[in-house]
Amino acid sequence: MIILAIESSCDDTGAALIEDGKKILSNILSSQDEVHKRYGGVVPELASRRHLENIVPVIRGTLDEAHKSLDDVHGVAVTRGPGLVGSLLVGIMAAKAIAHAKGLPLAGVNHLMGHLLAIFLEQEVAFPFIGMVASGGHTSLYMAEGFTAMRPLGRTRDDAAGEAFDKVAKYLGLGYPGGIIIEQLARKGDPGAIPFPRAYIAKESLDFSFSGIKTAVVNYVRAHPPSEDGIADIAASFQEAVVDVLVDKTIWAAQRHQVDRVVVSGGVASNNRLRERLQQEGEQVGIQPYFPPHFLCRDNAAMIGVAGYHLLKKGERDGLDMSALSRWPLEKGLAP
Ligand code: KG4
Ligand code: ZN
C-alpha cells in the first residue's frame, strides 16, 4: 500500500511516498530556514505563503523521484495539527484535492504521532515503548502502546526544548535555528563551566519547564559579558542543563512504567550530546534508546506517511470537511 504523505505544519513543506508504513520510496523537504532566519523565528504569514508556492512542486517532485504517478497511490495522509493553521491548511487543501480527484481515502494525522512513529522507517521497535518528542513546538513524553495508541505522560508547561535553544541562540546573536548552532559551539566549551538551573518541577514529575533556564542565561550574560571562549562555555553549560532534564525524565518515565525501550524524536533528538548521554545512562539502568536518523528527527512528510498508513489500515477515514487543528493533544492518536 503506497501512501502519499504531506506535511506543512510549520515552516517546512514536505511530501513523501511511503510503502506499507515503513519503506521510503521518496521524501522531499523544502526548508524555509532562509526565509525566517532574519527574523530569528518562524513568521506564520510568510510560512503559509511559502507553502503555497512550494506545495505543488514538492508533491510533483516526490512522485517523480519515486517514478510514480497519482495512479500508483492508495491513500493520502496529511498533517491535520497541531501547528500553524495557515500553514496546515495549505497541505490539507492539497491532500483533499488529490483524494477527491482520485477517489482515494484521506487520513488527517496528528503531527506528534508522526514524530513518534518516524523510527519505523529505519527499524522495528516492539511496543510498548516510551516516546519523547522534543522539538521547537513540543516537549512531551508518551506511553506508546501501539501504532495508534499513545498516552500522554508529561509535557512542557512553558517553552519547548527546541524553543529554548532557539531563544538562547537568538539572545547570544548566534543565528537561527539555534539548536544545531549551539550544539556546534558547545563542542568547544566546558559543560560544567556554569551551573545553570535544572528545572525538575517536582520530584519524579514528567512535566518540563524550559523558560527559567533561558532567563538564567540572559541574567548570566548581563552580569558577565562573555569573551568568545566564554560564549562556548555558555552554550555547553546551557545544552548540558537541557540534556540533563530530558535524559532524567525520559528514564524516570521508562522506570515508572516498567518499559525498557525509549524512542526519542523531534528536531532536538538530532542533538548528539542528548543521544550520547541517553545511551550512556540508559545502558546503566538497562534501558535501550532508539533515535531516528537526523533527517527523520526534524519535521518531514515520511513520518506522516507511517502514521497515515496505520490509521487507514485500521479503517480511519477523514472527509473533505476535515479542518486544521492548531491544538490537538495526542490521546490514543485518533480523533480530536
Ligand atoms: O521537529 P522540528 O524540525 O520542528 C518542530 O516541529 O518544531 O524541530 C525544530 C527544533 C528547533 O527548535 C531547533 O533549534 C531544534 O529542533 N534542533 C536542535 C538541534 N537540531 C534542531 N536542538 C538541539 N540540538 C540540535 N542539534
Ligand atoms: Zn515537529
Side-chain angles (χ1 to χ4, degrees), residues 120 125-131 142-147 149-151 153 254 257-263 287-288 290:
F120 290 94
V125 182
F127 291 103
F129 60 77
I130 296 294
Y142 297 91
M143 165 62 89
E145 285 156 341
F147 285 107
M150 281 110 179
R151 203 154 41 83
L153 302 176
H257 294 276
Q258 298 175 339
V259 167
D260 60 6
R261 291 171 293 274
V262 303
V263 173
I287 291 169
Q288 173 68 49
Y290 296 85

Side-chain angles (χ1 to χ4, degrees), residues 22-94:
K22 54 184 171 197
K23 185 169 175 213
I24 300 177
L25 303 181
S26 58
N27 180 31
I28 291 198
L29 191 70
S30 169
S31 164
Q32 297 186 12
D33 285 351
E34 283 306 313
V35 177
H36 303 285
K37 213 172 182 166
R38 81 176 80 155
Y39 306 101
V42 177
V43 184
E45 182 64 15
L46 295 180
S48 52
R49 285 188 203 184
R50 191 50 74 96
H51 283 307
L52 267 181
E53 290 165 17
N54 287 346
I55 192 81
V56 171
V58 165
I59 293 172
R60 192 166 284 150
T62 213
L63 290 165
D64 289 349
E65 195 179 284
H67 306 291
K68 301 280 184 205
S69 77
L70 288 177
D71 294 332
D72 300 309
V73 171
H74 304 107
V76 183
V78 62
T79 307
R80 182 178 184 189
L84 303 169
V85 168
S87 291
L88 289 163
L89 279 173
V90 177
I92 290 175
M93 291 318 226

Side-chain angles (χ1 to χ4, degrees), residues 42-307:
V42 177
V43 184
E45 182 64 15
L46 295 180
S48 52
R49 285 188 203 184
R50 191 50 74 96
H51 283 307
L52 267 181
E53 290 165 17
N54 287 346
I55 192 81
V56 171
V58 165
I59 293 172
R60 192 166 284 150
T62 213
L63 290 165
D64 289 349
E65 195 179 284
H67 306 291
K68 301 280 184 205
S69 77
L70 288 177
D71 294 332
D72 300 309
V73 171
H74 304 107
V76 183
V78 62
T79 307
R80 182 178 184 189
L84 303 169
V85 168
S87 291
L88 289 163
L89 279 173
V90 177
I92 290 175
M93 291 318 226
K96 284 183 187 176
I98 292 169
H100 181 60
K102 291 297 198 180
L104 294 169
L106 173 69
V109 172
N110 187 306
H111 181 81
L112 297 161
M113 183 178 169
H115 275 303
L116 291 168
L117 296 180
I119 190 74
F120 290 94
L121 294 162
E122 190 69 9
Q123 66 184 112
E124 296 286 325
V125 182
F127 291 103
F129 60 77
I130 296 294
M132 180 171 69
V133 181
S135 70
H138 306 273
T139 306
S140 306
L141 282 164
Y142 297 91
M143 165 62 89
E145 285 156 341
F147 285 107
T148 59
M150 281 110 179
R151 203 154 41 83
L153 302 176
R155 65 188 173 89
T156 185
R157 294 184 180 181
D158 40 57
D159 291 352
E163 191 178 355
F165 272 92
D166 294 338
K167 286 180 175 170
V168 165
K170 186 175 178 183
Y171 180 71
L172 295 174
L174 298 173
Y176 172 85
I180 184 75
I181 303 173
I182 292 203
E183 179 179 352
Q184 281 162 358
L185 194 58
R187 288 196 199 118
K188 294 184 257 166
D190 171 8
I194 307 145
F196 288 127
R198 272 76 170 151
Y200 287 98
I201 302 176
K203 196 167 182 289
E204 306 281 301
S205 165
L206 297 181
D207 281 345
F208 298 89
S209 167
F210 292 107
S211 67
I213 183 160
K214 175 194 69 192
T215 312
V217 173
V218 171
N219 290 340
Y220 181 86
V221 170
R222 283 204 187 123
H224 315 86
S227 61
E228 208 166 298
D229 287 350
I231 289 206
D233 283 344
I234 293 171
S237 302
F238 161 77
Q239 175 177 266
E240 203 65 10
V242 174
V243 165
D244 269 350
V245 176
L246 293 175
V247 168
D248 287 347
K249 296 205 176 219
T250 306
I251 289 182
W252 291 349
Q255 289 177 326
R256 185 178 311 167
H257 294 276
Q258 298 175 339
V259 167
D260 60 6
R261 291 171 293 274
V262 303
V263 173
V264 186
S265 193
V268 180
S270 284
N271 187 284
N272 292 304
R273 183 71 182 150
L274 173 65
R275 290 173 176 240
E276 192 179 285
R277 289 276 314 281
L278 197 54
Q279 188 71 44
Q280 283 165 0
E281 281 166 49
E283 238 163 59
Q284 287 170 13
V285 290
I287 291 169
Q288 173 68 49
Y290 296 85
F291 293 92
H294 295 287
F295 79 101
L296 294 174
C297 283
R298 64 176 302 177
D299 285 350
N300 66 86
M303 66 186 192
I304 302 304
V306 182

